[in-house]
Amino acid sequence: AYGYPRDPLLRMTVRDVSPAEDADRLLAADGDPVPWRHRSAAGALLSAEVVCTRAAAGGRAVRLAVATKTADRRRSEEALRDREALL
């Protein structure tokens, strides 16, 4: 989805792939969904909704982030509304 080669992507941080205000909002989040934009290797801004949780892994503090593309969800919600209107 990002278009970056694997090794460079693994070295990137949130700040490397998102506008500053989005990175700050994401880094402050803990448990509640937040809107987030991130940049693909081609430079396009992609929208997502992210839920972050603090965790521990290998004896160090980490953050687990689960992102859902909002464009997919919006299409699904629109299709559901259209189907309900039809019924």
Side-chain angles (χ1 to χ4, degrees):
Y2 293 95
Y4 294 100
R6 182 181 189 276
D7 289 337
L9 180 63
L10 291 175
R11 289 189 297 274
M12 291 178 163
T13 69
V14 168
R15 295 196 185 283
D16 293 327
V17 295
S18 63
E21 64 274 11
D22 287 28
D24 292 342
R25 185 174 48 251
L26 184 64
L27 292 170
D30 191 22
D32 292 325
V34 294
W36 180 52
R37 295 173 299 162
H38 52 278
R39 196 169 301 285
S40 71
L45 275 179
L46 309 171
S47 296
E49 184 177 84
V50 181
V51 175
C52 292
T53 305
R54 297 177 195 281
R60 64 184 191 137
V62 297
R63 293 181 57 87
L64 171 64
V66 178
T68 304
K69 290 197 280 184
T70 54
D72 292 345
R73 188 183 73 214
R74 279 194 305 265
R75 278 194 297 272
S76 297
E77 289 170 348
E78 186 176 311
L80 180 59
R81 277 192 302 275
D82 291 347
R83 178 165 286 152
E84 287 174 344
L86 204 115
L87 293 175

